[in-house]
Amino acid sequence: MSTLMDTLAKYKSHAESQGLQVYAIALKGSQNYNLADSESDIDANLIFIPSLRDLRTSTKYKFTFDTGEVTCHNIYQFAEIVAKGNPQWIEICHTDYVLGDLSLFKHYQLNPSALKGMVMEKVAAFSKLYPSRAKYVEQFGYDPKQLSNIIRLYDTLYTGDPVFKYYDADRDWMLDVKRGRIPATLPEAMSLRDTYLAKLAQIYDSRKLDYQPQSVDYDTIDQIVLSYYKSL
């Protein structure tokens, strides 16, 4: 954990050196699910208090390091994204690895429709030759990472846990899927993909019915931002 937190601290310091007032920075990706290995990057999302210039221009920030990428949003943008219930943003609010306080956002729930949309993106990318993943598709006939993400997203929807963690044999199996060690053939990988799509379809409708639209608490966020300006 210390290495991850040290890396987050490094990212935070760099953002501050670029003039950002950091509200929080949180880990995203495989470490949150206990699925990191030697090939895993350390990626993060950073939430900052916008300056008046940021509010006028909607300036976007993204930082790239040898260890991973940091995607940045001002606190208003982040709240609006999280309120949509997208899994990758709900994850950020529940990670064990965070500098700052994201408790304001922990009540937001996963949107099953957003999750299904992400799954279908992974299905579309299953055998696409995207530049960053082309070598895996050429080696295996598909992208093992996309297959593992389909399975993980199903587990997220099934359990309702936005940072569902894998342990012991389950973790070993998921890492084998992620790195293409299993399944052994492309037809087997396609069969496993389709099995999880069918399992998702079995629970999707009921989860969707249970979901309620979510809104942004702009008043509270205004107070956070105004408090920062008053402290200057």
Side-chain angles (χ1 to χ4, degrees), residues 7-26:
T7 302
L8 290 180
K10 179 185 77 172
Y11 294 166
K12 179 176 180 286
S13 294
H14 177 79
E16 290 170 338
S17 75
Q18 301 303 303
L20 293 186
Q21 176 62 36
V22 177
Y23 178 75
I25 182 168

Side-chain angles (χ1 to χ4, degrees), residues 2-232:
S2 59
T3 300
L4 291 173
M5 298 303 289
D6 290 344
T7 302
L8 290 180
K10 179 185 77 172
Y11 294 166
K12 179 176 180 286
S13 294
H14 177 79
E16 290 170 338
S17 75
Q18 301 303 303
L20 293 186
Q21 176 62 36
V22 177
Y23 178 75
I25 182 168
L27 185 74
K28 69 175 180 181
S30 56
Q31 292 85 358
N32 286 330
Y33 310 107
N34 198 31
L35 290 177
D37 60 14
S38 60
E39 297 183 42
S40 299
D41 290 333
I42 301 175
D43 296 326
N45 278 94
L46 184 146
I47 302 94
F48 63 94
I49 303 295
S51 67
L52 294 177
R53 177 180 178 275
D54 292 327
L55 291 173
R56 287 196 309 271
T57 63
S58 298
T59 306
K60 297 185 178 184
Y61 302 91
K62 186 173 185 178
F63 305 116
T64 302
F65 302 85
D66 291 341
T67 47
E69 291 186 342
V70 180
T71 303
C72 307
H73 291 90
N74 77 50
I75 193 169
Y76 290 104
Q77 295 169 331
F78 181 75
E80 289 163 357
I81 293 171
V82 171
K84 295 177 181 177
N86 189 298
Q88 64 181 332
W89 302 105
I90 299 296
E91 168 195 335
I92 298 305
C93 302
H94 292 271
T95 177
D96 295 329
Y97 308 98
V98 59
L99 296 175
D101 183 6
L102 290 177
S103 59
L104 175 63
F105 304 102
K106 284 196 172 182
H107 68 282
Y108 286 110
Q109 300 295 308
L110 180 73
N111 183 341
S113 295
L115 183 143
K116 184 179 180 181
M118 283 190 68
V119 169
M120 298 318 295
E121 289 176 2
K122 307 303 180 187
V123 171
F126 185 76
S127 56
K128 286 278 185 72
L129 289 168
Y130 293 118
S132 63
R133 304 295 301 173
K135 65 178 182 179
Y136 301 102
V137 176
E138 290 168 351
Q139 179 180 355
F140 299 106
Y142 70 101
D143 185 346
K145 188 174 180 180
Q146 304 300 344
L147 178 57
S148 70
N149 281 332
I150 291 168
I151 296 169
R152 180 183 58 76
L153 285 166
Y154 165 78
D155 288 338
T156 296
L157 185 63
Y158 179 77
T159 64
D161 185 348
V163 286
F164 178 75
K165 294 177 173 59
Y166 297 86
Y167 297 99
D168 302 323
D170 290 337
R171 179 179 186 271
D172 293 341
W173 184 79
M174 281 292 287
L175 285 173
D176 283 342
V177 172
K178 182 179 179 180
R179 297 309 176 197
R181 293 187 285 268
I182 57 173
T185 67
L186 174 58
E188 289 174 339
M190 294 172 66
S191 176
L192 185 59
R193 175 200 63 191
D194 293 345
T195 294
Y196 273 88
L197 290 177
K199 290 171 63 161
L200 187 146
Q202 290 175 357
I203 64 173
Y204 172 72
D205 288 340
S206 63
R207 299 295 196 276
K208 183 179 178 182
L209 286 173
D210 290 339
Y211 177 76
Q212 298 296 319
Q214 303 170 108
S215 60
V216 176
D217 183 356
Y218 286 107
D219 290 340
T220 298
I221 296 175
D222 284 344
Q223 290 304 311
I224 291 170
V225 174
L226 286 172
S227 294
Y228 162 69
Y229 283 121
K230 288 177 181 178
S231 70
L232 295 178

